[in-house]
Amino acid sequence: MFKKLIVFLITAALLLTIAVASYAQVINYIFNGSFEQLIDGSPANWVTHSYDKSSDAAVFKVETDNPQLGEKYATITNNVPNDSRYIQTVLVEENKKYKLSCYIKTENVSEEGNGANLSIAGQQVTSKKIKGTTDDWEYVELYTVIESGVETMKVTVGVGGYGALSTGKASFDNVLMEEVETIPEGAPCAIIKPTENESKDNKDNNSDNSSNNSSSKKDESKTELGKVVWVVLILAAIVVGVAVFNTYKSANNPSGNSGNASNKIDSNKSSDIKDDNDN
């Protein structure tokens, strides 16, 4: 029973360490990437934009039928050739690489234009362009390289593109952005450069805020990792304590048995002496 308890505790500690450590290492820089949180019916932390802003030219909705993740997802329907997008501004760190991904499904998206895609505002490079009608959710990726002086970028999911307008309906879910060390060869990649109106003074004034946000995210990761360490230490202390107690108990039992045997021998000797005296 004791051995089974030790094995169970060690296994639980290892599984917990792996699970939480893995979570701590992966940070999604996108907030509300699955469009679950709404404010007045619209996805929190996302804004919408359309090139053609006329009435009913583009319809933005949150739907619940067959989501890829969670219970909701965002949709865009371009009733006329248009470039329509959900946009989120994200803090980034200069000289870093990021991987963007999401799931897209389409209905009657025109072959003209950029179709449904994942992109960065102001960039021509996009993820795979999804057109026509898909049977199910399709996974797409886009990588970015952040140059010096860049503090934010705008992540977009939409239908169409700059000078590449499209019609049709597209749905988007599970938008993820994570830091990576390398970029696969041949993968779509956008190089994010500082905009012309970004001066050195603005960079200096805002660098502290960017550093604080980056540090905050790293601190959250360290906090999660710290929790793991404490849990493992507590479990290890329990295992060691039980092991020491069991060792101590095992060590005392032989001497106890030896004492009993000695007492038994002394008792037998006393009986023999008594018998001799009687004779």
Side-chain angles (χ1 to χ4, degrees), residues 13-160:
L14 288 174
L15 291 176
L16 184 61
T17 302
I18 293 170
V20 182
S22 298
Y23 168 79
Q25 291 172 1
V26 178
I27 299 174
N28 185 6
Y29 288 77
I30 298 292
F31 175 75
N32 196 27
S34 193
F35 306 96
E36 300 298 308
Q37 301 181 42
L38 306 180
I39 298 177
D40 296 329
S42 298
N45 225 53
W46 294 91
V47 297
T48 59
H49 168 78
S50 288
Y51 170 71
D52 186 340
K53 297 178 175 60
S54 58
S55 178
D56 295 329
V59 178
F60 297 85
K61 291 179 63 178
V62 173
E63 300 184 10
T64 58
D65 182 31
N66 188 31
Q68 196 280 324
L69 180 70
E71 299 178 351
K72 303 180 182 71
Y73 56 91
T75 68
I76 300 174
T77 303
N78 282 346
N79 294 314
V80 299
N82 210 345
D83 174 15
S84 304
R85 318 209 147 260
Y86 285 97
I87 304 172
Q88 182 170 146
T89 301
V90 184
L91 285 173
V92 295
E93 295 183 62
E94 58 184 11
N95 304 315
K96 296 283 188 179
K97 302 178 182 67
Y98 296 94
K99 172 186 172 182
L100 297 164
S101 63
C102 75
Y103 288 83
I104 301 174
K105 62 180 178 179
T106 59
E107 295 178 25
N108 300 317
V109 171
S110 63
E111 293 297 324
E112 296 77 21
N114 277 354
N117 62 83
L118 167 67
S119 69
I120 306 298
Q123 300 291 317
Q124 294 294 326
V125 179
T126 73
S127 68
K128 176 184 177 181
K129 302 172 178 65
I130 310 296
K131 300 178 179 181
T133 299
T134 59
D135 294 329
D136 203 350
W137 293 98
E138 289 197 23
Y139 177 78
V140 299
E141 292 180 351
L142 172 66
Y143 290 83
T144 64
V145 175
I146 310 300
E147 293 195 345
S148 297
V150 178
E151 299 172 352
T152 63
M153 69 178 183
K154 294 181 178 180
V155 177
T156 81
V157 291
V159 182

Side-chain angles (χ1 to χ4, degrees), residues 187-214:
C189 180
I191 309 299
I192 313 302
K193 302 176 180 291
T195 57
E196 293 181 0
N197 61 353
E198 279 184 318
S199 66
K200 186 177 184 300
D201 290 337
N202 287 336
K203 179 187 173 184
D204 291 339
N205 291 333
N206 294 326
S207 61
D208 289 340
N209 292 333
S210 179
S211 298
N212 288 338
N213 280 286
S214 299

Side-chain angles (χ1 to χ4, degrees), residues 20 23-28 212-227:
V20 182
Y23 168 79
Q25 291 172 1
V26 178
I27 299 174
N28 185 6
N212 288 338
N213 280 286
S214 299
S215 298
S216 175
K217 288 175 180 176
K218 290 177 180 178
D219 288 341
E220 288 176 5
S221 179
K222 289 179 180 177
T223 299
E224 295 294 338
L225 213 50
K227 291 178 181 178

